[in-house]
Amino acid sequence: MSEPGIGISVYATLNNVVSQGQPDIVFSIDNDNPVSFNANSVGDEVVSHILVYQSPVLFNGTHPLKAISTGRGSPFYFDFLTVDNAQENPFGDVIVDDRDLSILYSGTWEPNGAESEYLHTTSQTPKGPNGGTATFTFEGIAVYGTTDANARNGGNATHLAFTLDGFTTQYDGIPNSDVMKNVRFFSNQSLPNGKHTLNFTLLDENICYFDYLVYSNDGSEVGGNGSDGSSGGGGGGSGGGGGGGGSNSKTNLEAIIGGVVGAIVLLILLVLLVVCVIIRSRKQKRTQGKVVKGEAHGSTTEL
């Protein structure tokens, strides 16, 4: 991988694993011993987004990853890979699953999912005008999901409304006789990096399944959201820094430094005061000792 990081995961699509056998492919990171994967739980159906390799925790840097295949066994289709860049504010394309806590839902969304969907989970849209809300820091965004077999069931195509920063566009699907997965419902790749709010709402009775979304981030700390969707100072795998997090952090740091310096100056002054008191006390004792000694010999000093 060319991007620096501390770990990498590889996802792929598999097919005909039972009838043709597992793909004969191994993975090697940093020229270490090759590691194969086990796909025994996969049948002959097409299954996407399968985690086929996950590296151990690595030192933060760039690491060469090799995938070596003999061509034997069932087909192997490289899908995508993810890199853990060990940063609170991720950069590049970030995949957000439908179960991510930074996505707010209104209405009754039902948990769902299948093997061929991202992380095998989806969120089924409620019937009627209810939707989900997502607030992120991103440059561009794309929303993907699964549409039901509406034509086969005598229904109409799925219709969704997407409102991005107050501007609404509509997704009009086509009648389909079978379930369609990894359908891109919405995409906008020309956004400036910043905080954007995306709302999506089902416009008819045809259910669909929100699977995941992808947004792009240049890594700068602008805007953000907490798990409750409000602006916050935290950053994470799918968010960014708080709206005023950069200036607040700088102000807090200056206050801490000022407090430490003030405490050190006060401590020095206290030490100097104690030293002065001790020196003065010793001088007084020496003066009293001389007077007592002079009086013992019968001598006095006339003032």
Side-chain angles (χ1 to χ4, degrees):
M1 57 187 180
S2 60
E3 296 291 345
I6 61 172
I8 186 171
S9 300
V10 179
Y11 294 81
T13 295
L14 305 178
N15 189 20
N16 297 325
V17 173
V18 174
S19 59
Q20 298 184 22
Q22 295 189 49
D24 188 7
I25 185 170
V26 295
F27 298 90
S28 175
I29 189 81
D30 292 335
N31 295 317
D32 204 354
N33 295 328
V35 177
S36 60
F37 72 97
N38 189 339
N40 287 331
S41 60
V42 180
D44 273 348
E45 70 278 5
V46 178
V47 182
S48 302
H49 309 316
I50 297 295
L51 177 63
V52 295
Y53 174 77
Q54 187 171 35
S55 73
V57 178
L58 309 167
F59 66 87
N60 195 4
T62 56
H63 304 271
L65 173 66
K66 294 181 180 179
I68 306 170
S69 174
T70 62
R72 295 191 296 266
S74 57
F76 176 91
Y77 306 94
F78 170 65
D79 200 353
F80 63 93
L81 55 85
T82 60
V83 176
D84 183 355
N85 57 20
Q87 295 184 10
E88 290 187 354
N89 198 37
F91 58 87
D93 290 336
V94 181
I95 302 176
V96 184
D97 187 50
D98 64 291
R99 305 295 172 86
D100 195 282
L101 294 178
S102 58
I103 301 175
L104 297 182
Y105 293 99
S106 61
T108 305
W109 291 69
E110 298 180 8
N112 215 305
E115 287 291 333
S116 55
E117 291 162 326
Y118 179 64
L119 297 184
H120 319 313
T121 66
T122 58
S123 294
Q124 178 181 318
T125 57
K127 291 185 177 181
N130 294 307
T133 301
T135 303
F136 298 103
T137 298
F138 54 77
E139 289 180 324
I141 188 169
V143 180
Y144 294 83
T146 299
T147 60
D148 203 4
N150 43 59
R152 185 179 63 191
N153 298 331
N156 298 318
T158 301
H159 300 282
L160 296 168
F162 291 87
T163 303
L164 178 63
D165 297 338
F167 296 93
T168 301
T169 58
Q170 184 170 323
Y171 167 80
D172 295 314
I174 58 175
N176 49 285
S177 59
D178 203 352
V179 174
M180 298 178 62
K181 300 177 180 178
N182 299 315
V183 177
R184 188 171 68 181
F185 294 146
F186 174 85
S187 178
N188 188 323
Q189 303 298 325
S190 59
L191 294 170
N193 193 49
K195 183 178 179 180
H196 304 277
T197 301
L198 176 68
N199 302 276
F200 50 98
T201 304
L202 185 67
L203 297 179
D204 51 34
E205 296 295 314
N206 294 316
I207 61 174
C208 62
Y209 306 87
F210 166 51
D211 194 357
Y212 63 96
L213 57 85
V214 180
Y215 72 92
S216 179
N217 191 0
D218 66 0
S220 61
E221 296 183 359
V222 290
N225 62 282
S227 60
D228 60 351
S230 59
S231 295
S238 303
S247 59
N248 290 338
S249 299
K250 183 177 180 181
T251 303
N252 293 337
L253 180 61
E254 292 175 350
I256 293 173
I257 295 175
V260 171
V261 173
I264 293 174
V265 172
L266 180 60
L267 180 61
I268 292 174
L269 292 175
L270 289 175
V271 171
L272 291 176
L273 180 61
V274 171
V275 171
C276 290
V277 170
I278 293 174
I279 293 175
R280 184 175 181 180
S281 176
R282 288 180 177 177
K283 286 182 177 180
Q284 290 178 349
K285 288 182 179 180
R286 285 197 295 268
T287 303
Q288 292 175 357
K290 290 180 180 180
V291 172
V292 171
K293 184 176 181 180
E295 291 177 348
H297 288 78
S299 61
T300 59
T301 300
E302 183 175 350
L303 299 177

